[in-house]
Each structure stands twice: as C-alpha cells, then as structure tokens.
Amino acid sequence: MKITKLTTYIVPPRWLFLKVETDEGIIGWGEPVVEGRALTVQAAVHELEDYLIGKDPFLIEDHWTVMYRGGFYRGGAVHMSAISGIDQALWDIKGKALGQPIHSLLGGQLRDRIKVYSWIGGDRPADVANNAKEVVARGFKAIKLNGCEEMQIVDTNEKVEKAVETIAIIREAIGPHIGIGVDFHGRVHKPMAKVLAKELDPYKLMFIEEPVLSENKEALRDIVNHTSTPIALGERLFSRWDFKQVLSDGYVDIIQPDLSHAGGITECRKIAAMAEAYDVALAPHCPLGPIALAACLQVDAVSYNAFIQEQSLGIHYNKGNDILDYISNKEVFQYADGFVSIPQGPGLGIEVDEAYVIERAKEGHRWRNPIWRHADGSFAEW
C-alpha cells in the first residue's frame, strides 16, 4: 500500500480536517490544527506531503521520526500539529486495513469507557450556576469553566473575590460530589496565582488548569505550596521533550497533552507512559472536533493513568457546527452517566461524512481568539 494524496479541509467552527488517501482505496482522517492558525498548519501539512507521497502508510514510527527530525528545525505548535493530524490519519488507515480499532493495535484497551467533563459558560455567576446545574442534569459528573477574566500580574482583591464568588455559587448549586475543573487559561501570573489557588482551596476542586503559562512553569514550585488542589498543565506543550522537565520537577499532578498539537497518537502515547512513571494523571486536552476526540479516546483506552477526557460537545466555541455534524455514525460517542464509551470500530472508529465536510469547507473559517486589554491599555492574556 502507498500513500497517494493528502487533502485538507478548513471547516467551521474553527477546525482543519485532513484526508490521507492510498492506492488501495483506504482513507484515513486526521485533525491537524492550531486554533487561530489553521491556514498556517494547512501549509505545514502540505510541506510534509512531499515526503509522504509514495510511502507505505503502515510505517508510522518511521514517518513520525522523519517528519519530526528530518527538517533540521523541529517542534513548536505549527510543526507538531501538522505531524499530529498526519499521524492520526496513518493510524486510521492501519486500523481500517487490519479491521481493528487503533487501541487494539496499541496493546488492547484496559477500560471500556472514560469519564468526561463538559464546559460551562456564562457572563454572571448566577448564569454559570444555572448552566452547571443543567449540565449535571444531563448526566455529567464533572464540569470545567474559566476561573477568571483578565488579570494583571498584580491585581485587586476585587478580581479575586469575583472569581471565588463564582466558584462558591457553582459548588453550592451542584453539591459537593461533582468535579469542578477551574481553568486559569494562562491568564494569571505567579503573584495572583498563589492568592487564587489558596482562596479556592475550600471548594474541593477537581483541578486547577494552567495556573500560569507553561513558559513560567518554574512558578509552580511556589503555587503548589498554597493549595492541596491538583495542578493540571500541558495543552501548550508539544512533545515528550517539552513534558520532560514538567514531569521531573514534580509540581504537576495532571498532564493535558492535545492529540492535535502534541504529535498525535504516536507521541501522546509516549507522553502518557512517561507521566505514568511519575505517578501523574492523564487528561487529554480536546476542545476540537470529532477526529481529535476519537484519537484521544484511542490513547485513553490504553493508558492506565487516564482518568477524564475533555470533549467539546456544546462548547461555546462551536458556532454553526458541532462535533457530531461531521460524522455519519453519531452513536459512536455514547455518553451515559458521565462517561463516554471507547469506540470499537476499525481505525479511529468514526465514519467521517465526507460530502458534508466538502460542503462546509466551501464556507471555511478564519477564526481568531479575542484580543483583550487591561484597564490601563496593556495587552491581557485571553
């Protein structure tokens, strides 16, 4: 079997899909994207295409190595996301050719399903609390929300009190046993992260995510001394080498590699195994489409330390299209009792509705994240 063609589709709301074709008619799908940089990643995919055409798609490890090491310059969001989508598609082809789900080829699943959380949003604490109750009523056992708005490197107690008030209202609304993940989104710097972590401790959070930006990870040494809440990090790390120091430093309890950013299934399986050796949990980042979610579930299925999966059904970013719109077998993501089942079909286990993908690609998107500014006019992390 030989790879014959790579085709990319920019589709709403903010995704990039990849179709890899072979001379035997077997097609694999991947989702290579950086949110807000879809066109750039698309170009990177087609640069890598020059090497892949005519190659055996089964030689995934070799192709990954060449794509990563063969260009001299390596790593980073765009390069690794291009590799990620290609890697997903190659695994999809291999699974379909052999009639097996990818997790079977990785040693076989060690779980039938995995817990999922749902994003909640809202402009006011009361709105957020109502949204949280609605999500819990649908059966979710865990939720996640942004923990604060913009926050300067040293900010006011009023900002802290507003963030704490929101979490307090949510905890009261949904009770003591629903998991709450609070995403600081890299908006908070070390001085305020210490304060917020301490003030939120009484609310028994499931985790605090990105209390500081990944490039400021040395600050975690001080933040962990102000809270007993697990610390999660990793959506802006792109390889096992990026995760190496995070794990060896010992300040992170949960890692969150993104299978569309951190090298795909091949690399994230290795990252998960590294984390297991440090007794660190795995919760893959995935506010993206159905191909990315299916890839995450393949790694969750074979990773002992995986405990929860992010998924974007109904997320506030999904304007116009949602994750089920692009697949024909919509029942594949079986949500029940706060869990989603591990797909059992060959390859990724999803059937991409190619005709619908082509139709929506005619509209495409140019999604960009908001640009925020502080009251003094300086740039604020979104």
Side-chain angles (χ1 to χ4, degrees), residues 138-151:
R138 298 205 320 261
F140 286 93
K141 307 296 184 186
I143 62 173
K144 190 170 86 170
L145 73 155
N146 285 317
C148 62
E149 297 181 358
E150 66 270 25
M151 189 168 284

Side-chain angles (χ1 to χ4, degrees), residues 35-275:
E35 299 91 309
R37 299 288 184 270
L39 289 164
T40 315
V41 178
Q42 181 182 48
V45 167
H46 290 296
E47 287 181 329
L48 293 169
E49 178 183 22
D50 295 345
Y51 171 76
L52 293 166
I53 296 298
K55 299 293 193 303
D56 179 353
F58 274 31
L59 301 180
I60 298 171
E61 190 72 37
D62 184 57
H63 297 329
W64 197 100
T65 301
V66 173
M67 288 189 292
Y68 179 77
R69 299 179 184 273
F72 187 76
Y73 299 102
R74 58 192 65 173
V78 171
H79 182 202
M80 295 304 291
S81 296
I83 291 174
S84 296
I86 293 169
D87 181 82
Q88 294 167 8
L90 296 181
W91 276 109
D92 194 28
I93 288 169
K94 192 164 190 174
K96 289 173 178 175
L98 298 175
Q100 293 291 322
I102 293 166
H103 55 74
S104 178
L105 306 182
L106 295 174
Q109 67 184 48
L110 51 74
R111 57 174 52 86
D112 302 317
R113 57 184 187 156
I114 189 166
K115 193 174 184 180
V116 289
Y117 62 79
S118 179
W119 267 91
I120 59 171
D123 294 325
R124 300 181 183 276
D127 295 333
V128 174
N130 288 332
N131 290 340
K133 286 191 288 187
E134 189 272 331
V135 165
V136 171
R138 298 205 320 261
F140 286 93
K141 307 296 184 186
I143 62 173
K144 190 170 86 170
L145 73 155
N146 285 317
C148 62
E149 297 181 358
E150 66 270 25
M151 189 168 284
Q152 286 189 287
I153 188 165
V154 175
D155 216 314
T156 64
N157 287 329
E158 181 182 7
K159 287 275 190 76
V160 174
E161 289 167 3
K162 182 179 179 181
V164 172
E165 177 191 13
T166 299
I167 302 304
I169 290 173
I170 289 172
R171 177 53 79 200
E172 182 178 359
I174 63 178
H177 303 306
I178 299 296
I180 301 176
V182 174
D183 188 357
F184 285 7
H185 218 248
R187 297 171 181 172
V188 185
H189 300 268
K190 176 183 173 182
M192 303 310 295
K194 293 193 295 184
V195 175
L196 272 172
K198 183 177 181 180
E199 292 296 319
L200 291 173
D201 223 25
Y203 301 100
K204 307 297 182 186
L205 302 179
M206 181 170 61
F207 56 76
I208 292 172
E209 180 174 336
E210 274 199 324
V212 291
L213 288 165
S214 295
E215 54 258 42
N216 297 326
K217 55 185 174 293
E218 67 280 352
L220 297 172
R221 175 189 58 220
D222 298 322
I223 295 168
V224 296
N225 292 324
H226 290 76
T227 182
S228 61
T229 302
I231 301 296
L233 189 80
E235 70 187 64
R236 288 187 260 200
L237 301 176
F238 307 113
S239 71
R240 74 197 92 146
W241 296 280
D242 287 350
F243 279 93
K244 181 168 61 172
Q245 185 179 348
V246 168
L247 293 169
S248 63
D249 284 349
Y251 303 128
V252 171
D253 306 291
I254 302 161
I255 59 161
Q256 300 171 302
D258 188 309
L259 270 82
S260 284
H261 300 333
I265 292 168
T266 297
E267 184 72 350
C268 288
R269 174 76 192 280
K270 296 173 183 178
I271 293 168
M274 287 171 61

